[in-house]
Amino acid sequence: MMISYATLFRKIPLIPTVLVLLLAAFQWADDDFTGQIAARLQKYRQAFPQEKAYLHLDKPYYVVGDTLWFAGYLTEASLHQADSASNLLYVGLIDQRTGKNVALRRVQLSGGIGHGDIALADSIAPGPYTIRAYTNWMRNFSEDFIFKKDIYLFDETGTPASSASSKTDLQFFAEGGHLVAGINTRIAFKAIDGDGLGTDAEGFILDQQKDTVATFKSQHLGMGRFQFEPAPGKIYTAFLRNKNGGTTRFDFPKVEESGFTMMVDNLSNPLKMKILAYCKLPGSKENPVHVVGHSRGIVAFVAKGKISDKGLVMSIPTTDLPDGITHLTLFNEQNKPVSERLVFTDHSRRLRVSLNPTRKTYKPREKTEVELTVSDSAGNPVETSISVSVTDASQIEQQPNDQNLVSYLNLSSDLKGHIEQPGYYFDAEKSERKIYADYLMMTQGWTRFHWDDVFRDSLPEPRYFVEQGISLEGEAKRSGRKLSDKTMLSVYLSSDSINSFMTAETNQSGRFAIHNLVFSDSLNLRIQGMNKKGNQNLSFTLSLFQPFSTTMQKVPFYPVTVNSIQLSEYLKRAAQDQEIARKIRESRERLLQEVTIKGKKETQRDTRKLYNNADASLKITPQMASSAMSVLDMLAGRVAGVQVVGSGMNASVFIRGNRGEPQFVLDGMPVDKDLVTNLNVQDIESIDVLKGASAAIFGSRGGNGVISILTKRGNENYDYSQEIVPGVLISKIAGFDVPRDFYMPDYQVKKPQDNRPDYRSTIYWAPMLKTGKDGKVKFQYFNTDAATRVDIRADVLSPAGIPGFAKSGYTVE
């Protein structure tokens, strides 16, 4: 029952090929390499289609006892369409100090969108945490591909002392990947402090004669760039100037005597980017090359040319490139990748989202109405889903240029490592944002695949499959040994609202799996063999879900920026709110202790019985079970009108002289006789016999009567801690988590509980709002008691894969 990922992921069309201006010896490739590279990329993408997950959190930090609310988005990775194949999103909370999962949620997605919450109980220690989101399919790839966001969980003591090192790390990156002697190029660099964040840096480069050949100084979040031409035979070393006046030595890229380099100018002309390729190879004056541009694995262009002594210049229009990152690769004459470079394009082709409160100023506890409007870049209304968070700015400080859906899909999800202040690169008010984005491309560039994988003739089978529901997997053994042939299994699933019987078959080694189960909370599970012999020798082991592996950080860092006054206010209000909640619980407990309820106890009806009363009912005792080999043996001679012929597995049964055998029912589900005779007699609770008119509820199937078997484990009151019966596995399996409703008071209706103070930090949370055909939706809520500034933030994703983000606010006086 394994799902085919190849059939679930839609075929994604190629990006329209961009036109190009011909310069020097450059022209569009029309040889076999063009078709080969496009076919290889498409084959790889179809075999290993990628997904992207994103979480919108209600706020950037929390306090012990609080609730973390999240909205989940899942898209396919190439065009960001919100209908990726997976319908199950895993959301885990990781303690950065231990790497352990302290919470895991299974979120059911509809159209790529879902939501949930994590109660931050007192048992969760304060400190730095990472919240992650991923699908089972994403486990086939690197941990770098999953969504991660760092948060902090405070307690009443407030901000901890930083345990991070003050040591600075400095790295240098040659543009295109290599330094080649005698070829002028550019060097990008990035300096990171002990907290893992960019830090100001300046210094100089020395050759082995201790001569200064270059200087550098960072311009944005520890990043910068400088021109450099390495000399043949030279070895270079970098020195960082420390704040105390000293210097620290760092490695500098090695100089190669021959090779290729590639430089890209994506800033001078807003409509075109210029690619400059150079090479130095012994005995070669003209070197045929190809340049391949692809965006998220979809070919944008393939061009070819010859690099002469003066190099090769290509001018590529960027108007048809998608928003986000385009990956450029230079291939040599042997079609081997020799140089790579990422470029970032932002055409602002995103949704236009506006948040408009009806007024700029409100009063405490006053009803607030906000109109949200979504349109595309052409101004047309968009019908789509939205998540909205409203917070008290006196308690919650929004992080500077924080992550949002636009910045994640178009930038962070396709770069390596932690991206600091990703929203900066999409803020039109930041005049230097494009230059600094280019620094980012040169220092944290990466790819979701390696070209060696793309050109491999045979691709490996994925280990993990696409999930559209809950999966049940395990292994069956006989007498502790692996099975030697396929074995049929009976599987019974039950809960308060579900009673389902199904069959499964192991493979020859005993592995079995059932996929696409859709249920909430948990289900009781019973598995046993269906063969007539040897069932008691079977044993079962379930394969529990293993969360994505965790790479521990060397030093836990303090991941949020928060003003001490805001933090103090937040902690004070959170403590007041939790104390009020504690007193309310205690009051309710005392009230319940004083109430005496009198009345006749109503006998609860067994939901496994479709009938009201049986013609005969047999309660199974240990003595009856000990002398029987099967259910039919226990019936023999004990129920009037029931005739049992033979014994054990070969017995036959007839009711009131009917020539045909009766219909068998197991815990309310019609089943075959073979399954019934194969049941462990120690597991039987009772047997009901229905004759004539009593069996009419089962229609024509009950024409020969009905024998209804009720098992101990099918009873909702059964104690699962009792001894497990040989040959039978009894367990519980977790389903989709049911999201809780976000509490919002209604101050228009007077209630006793409204007398208590209201200083909630998250004032309103709506994870799944929807705009109408006019692109609009209105939402209402009541302000708290705080006189404060209120922040409103919204993430939006259209079905076509276009993201949007907006923020707004107002004052409460």
Side-chain angles (χ1 to χ4, degrees):
M1 296 183 64
M2 183 171 292
I3 304 171
S4 172
Y5 51 87
T7 58
L8 284 174
F9 281 92
R10 70 170 64 198
K11 291 184 178 180
I12 304 170
L14 298 181
I15 293 175
T17 305
V18 298
L19 298 177
V20 71
L21 177 65
L22 302 181
L23 291 177
F26 166 61
Q27 63 182 21
W28 282 114
D30 55 3
D31 54 17
D32 292 341
F33 184 73
T34 304
Q36 181 187 10
I37 199 73
R40 291 283 186 171
L41 278 171
Q42 186 173 12
K43 177 184 176 182
Y44 185 85
R45 195 175 67 250
Q46 289 178 345
F48 294 101
Q50 303 280 301
E51 293 179 313
K52 292 183 180 181
Y54 171 80
L55 296 180
H56 175 191
L57 308 186
D58 66 309
K59 54 195 174 193
Y61 50 86
Y62 300 84
V63 68
V64 172
D66 205 346
T67 298
L68 184 156
W69 304 92
F70 63 84
Y73 295 84
L74 182 69
T75 74
E76 59 80 29
S78 295
L79 298 179
H80 298 156
Q81 293 178 336
D83 59 353
S84 190
S86 299
N87 287 339
L88 170 55
L89 181 69
Y90 295 95
V91 177
L93 188 64
I94 311 298
D95 189 330
Q96 291 184 7
R97 295 155 296 190
T98 63
K100 293 182 178 180
N101 281 267
V102 299
L104 181 67
R105 297 291 180 266
R106 293 170 173 84
V107 181
Q108 186 173 12
L109 301 175
S110 176
I113 300 174
H115 65 107
D117 61 271
I118 298 175
L120 303 172
D122 294 342
S123 58
I124 301 179
Y129 287 83
T130 298
I131 189 167
R132 309 187 302 175
Y134 53 91
T135 64
N136 189 55
W137 175 256
M138 292 166 72
R139 295 165 72 198
N140 290 301
F141 311 103
S142 167
E143 181 189 7
D144 292 321
F145 297 120
I146 71 174
F147 173 86
K148 289 178 284 188
K149 184 176 178 62
D150 298 318
I151 63 173
Y152 202 90
L153 180 58
F154 293 98
D155 62 6
E156 67 279 358
T157 61
T159 307
S162 175
S163 59
S165 168
S166 59
K167 185 178 179 180
T168 297
D169 180 46
L170 179 62
Q171 289 183 299
F172 294 87
F173 306 86
E175 186 168 9
H178 305 283
L179 277 182
V180 178
I183 298 180
N184 196 301
T185 187
R186 294 182 297 189
I187 304 291
F189 63 91
K190 184 166 186 177
I192 298 175
D193 63 16
D195 285 334
L197 303 176
T199 184
D200 291 340
E202 62 177 308
F204 50 91
I205 311 298
L206 300 183
D207 61 16
Q208 62 261 53
Q209 283 76 40
K210 306 300 181 183
D211 292 330
T212 300
V213 294
T215 60
F216 62 88
K217 184 176 182 180
S218 64
Q219 294 178 281
H220 178 69
L221 300 176
M223 295 183 292
R225 182 168 63 192
F226 58 93
Q227 205 77 19
F228 189 76
E229 182 174 333
K234 292 286 187 178
I235 299 175
Y236 300 98
T237 306
F239 289 87
L240 174 69
R241 288 192 175 94
N242 301 326
K243 295 180 180 179
N244 60 8
T247 60
T248 304
R249 180 185 181 278
F250 288 92
D251 292 335
F252 197 73
K254 181 182 177 181
V255 179
E256 300 177 3
E257 293 302 316
S258 63
F260 292 81
T261 68
M262 180 169 58
M263 298 173 61
V264 179
D265 178 6
N266 195 35
L267 303 174
S268 300
N269 190 322
L271 302 178
K272 300 173 184 177
M273 67 176 169
K274 185 179 293 185
I275 302 174
L276 300 92
Y278 300 92
C279 110
K280 180 182 178 183
L281 293 178
S284 177
K285 292 186 176 181
E286 284 193 340
N287 296 277
V289 294
H290 286 87
V291 176
V292 175
H294 73 84
S295 296
R296 301 187 287 270
I298 302 178
V299 174
F301 64 88
V302 180
K304 72 175 181 179
K306 293 182 179 180
I307 303 179
S308 66
D309 293 340
K310 297 181 180 180
L312 173 66
V313 181
M314 305 178 184
S315 186
I316 309 293
T318 58
T319 52
D320 290 330
L321 292 178
D323 280 18
I325 295 173
T326 298
H327 187 182
L328 305 178
T329 304
L330 180 70
F331 290 85
N332 65 9
E333 188 175 9
Q334 290 76 40
N335 293 336
K336 301 294 184 182
V338 292
S339 185
E340 294 185 313
R341 172 74 149 87
L342 299 189
V343 294
F344 179 69
T345 304
D346 182 17
H347 301 296
S348 298
R349 295 171 184 159
R350 43 187 172 266
L351 298 178
R352 298 176 181 176
V353 187
S354 62
L355 290 162
N356 299 305
T358 54
R359 300 208 310 268
K360 294 183 178 181
T361 304
Y362 291 87
K363 295 180 180 179
R365 296 202 177 192
E366 187 176 2
K367 186 177 182 179
T368 299
E369 182 175 87
V370 181
E371 182 179 77
L372 190 151
T373 304
V374 182
S375 61
D376 60 22
S377 57
N380 302 310
V382 176
E383 187 175 3
T384 188
S385 297
I386 305 152
S387 55
V388 175
S389 174
V390 180
T391 56
D392 179 351
S394 66
Q395 301 183 56
I396 302 301
E397 181 175 355
Q398 298 295 340
Q399 301 303 288
N401 303 303
D402 201 7
Q403 190 81 268
N404 57 61
L405 190 53
V406 174
S407 66
Y408 185 75
L409 292 182
N410 289 336
L411 181 69
S412 302
S413 58
D414 292 316
L415 286 179
K416 186 177 181 179
H418 173 69
I419 309 303
E420 190 177 353
Q421 298 188 27
Y424 177 94
Y425 306 102
F426 297 85
D427 188 345
E429 296 181 357
K430 309 294 185 184
S431 59
E432 304 294 322
R433 64 189 179 100
K434 292 186 177 181
I435 297 175
Y436 298 157
D438 207 42
Y439 294 172
L440 190 65
M441 296 299 102
M442 292 181 64
T443 56
Q444 291 188 236
W446 74 334
T447 179
R448 284 178 171 263
F449 57 82
H450 299 285
W451 283 111
D452 289 344
D453 296 333
V454 174
F455 285 107
R456 189 179 301 170
D457 290 332
S458 60
L459 298 175
E461 285 293 323
R463 180 180 178 185
Y464 302 103
F465 50 87
V466 171
E467 288 183 323
Q468 293 191 314
I470 304 298
S471 299
L472 169 63
E473 298 180 86
E475 182 180 18
K477 293 183 177 181
R478 180 171 282 113
S479 300
R481 299 179 180 178
K482 287 185 176 293
L483 301 183
S484 58
D485 53 6
K486 296 180 180 180
T487 300
M488 292 299 298
L489 306 176
S490 68
V491 181
Y492 182 68
L493 302 168
S494 64
S495 67
D496 292 340
S497 58
I498 298 176
N499 286 287
S500 180
F501 168 77
M502 60 185 66
T503 60
E505 186 180 49
T506 71
N507 61 18
Q508 290 186 341
S509 63
R511 298 292 304 178
F512 62 89
I514 299 175
H515 303 298
N516 295 339
L517 299 172
V518 179
F519 63 95
S520 300
D521 291 332
S522 63
L523 283 181
N524 299 322
L525 166 70
R526 181 183 66 198
I527 301 179
Q528 64 184 84
M530 292 182 65
N531 296 337
K532 294 184 177 181
K533 297 181 180 180
N535 273 350
Q536 292 191 3
N537 295 328
L538 286 176
S539 60
F540 302 93
T541 304
L542 293 182
S543 300
L544 300 179
F545 176 80
Q546 296 297 323
F548 220 114
S549 61
T550 302
T551 301
M552 290 292 295
Q553 297 186 28
K554 294 181 179 180
V555 180
F557 64 90
Y558 191 58
V560 297
T561 300
V562 54
N563 179 278
S564 59
I565 297 176
Q566 286 172 303
L567 178 59
S568 176
E569 182 74 7
Y570 173 49
L571 297 178
K572 181 180 70 174
R573 297 305 186 189
Q576 289 176 349
D577 187 57
Q578 293 180 26
E579 178 64 18
I580 291 171
R582 184 187 63 80
K583 290 181 178 180
I584 290 173
R585 288 195 299 268
E586 292 178 352
S587 176
R588 288 174 178 171
E589 291 171 0
R590 288 194 298 270
L591 181 61
L592 289 174
Q593 291 170 359
E594 295 171 0
V595 173
T596 302
I597 301 176
K598 295 182 179 181
K600 184 178 180 180
K601 182 179 179 181
E602 181 180 351
T603 302
Q604 187 174 3
R605 183 178 179 275
D606 195 326
T607 57
R608 297 173 294 173
K609 297 182 179 182
L610 300 178
Y611 47 90
N612 292 324
N613 295 298
D615 293 297
S617 185
L618 189 64
K619 182 70 175 177
I620 305 303
T621 65
Q623 292 77 15
M624 294 167 59
S626 63
S627 60
M629 294 180 61
S630 73
V631 170
L632 301 185
D633 289 343
M634 292 186 287
L635 275 175
R638 289 191 170 95
V639 178
V642 176
Q643 180 184 7
V644 178
V645 180
S647 63
M649 303 295 180
N650 299 316
S652 299
V653 60
F654 305 94
I655 298 177
R656 283 185 175 174
N658 289 314
R659 294 184 179 181
E661 288 193 290
Q663 170 68 54
F664 292 91
V665 177
L666 178 64
D667 287 328
M669 297 292 294
V671 296
D672 295 332
K673 175 187 171 183
D674 286 346
L675 177 59
V676 169
T677 57
N678 209 33
L679 290 173
N680 191 304
V681 293
Q682 302 290 342
D683 195 32
I684 308 302
E685 180 180 77
S686 62
I687 304 173
D688 289 345
V689 178
L690 283 67
K691 312 170 185 177
S694 301
I697 192 172
F698 290 91
S700 60
R701 293 180 299 178
N704 294 322
V706 174
I707 294 179
S708 174
I709 299 99
L710 303 178
T711 65
K712 298 174 183 177
R713 290 166 183 81
N715 191 322
E716 61 182 14
N717 297 319
Y718 177 71
D719 182 7
Y720 285 87
S721 64
Q722 63 180 284
E723 183 179 356
I724 300 299
V725 177
V728 178
L729 172 67
I730 303 296
S731 184
K732 283 194 174 185
I733 56 175
F736 291 109
D737 289 281
V738 179
R740 292 184 295 167
D741 292 330
F742 180 79
Y743 169 72
M744 291 184 295
D746 183 354
Y747 290 133
Q748 290 185 137
V749 180
K750 298 297 182 182
K751 299 176 184 178
Q753 60 264 35
D754 292 342
N755 294 326
R756 64 177 184 261
D758 180 6
Y759 289 97
R760 290 167 292 126
S761 57
T762 300
I763 303 170
Y764 176 76
W765 168 249
M768 297 186 73
L769 286 176
K770 290 185 179 296
T771 57
K773 293 182 179 180
D774 60 354
K776 296 181 179 181
V777 64
K778 292 182 179 180
F779 55 93
Q780 303 86 27
Y781 55 89
F782 290 86
N783 293 307
T784 64
D785 291 331
T788 183
R789 175 72 184 172
V790 173
D791 285 324
I792 311 174
R793 302 208 166 204
D795 275 317
V796 188
L797 182 66
S798 74
I802 309 300
F805 169 76
K807 58 183 179 180
S808 184
Y810 60 88
T811 302
V812 178
E813 296 179 346

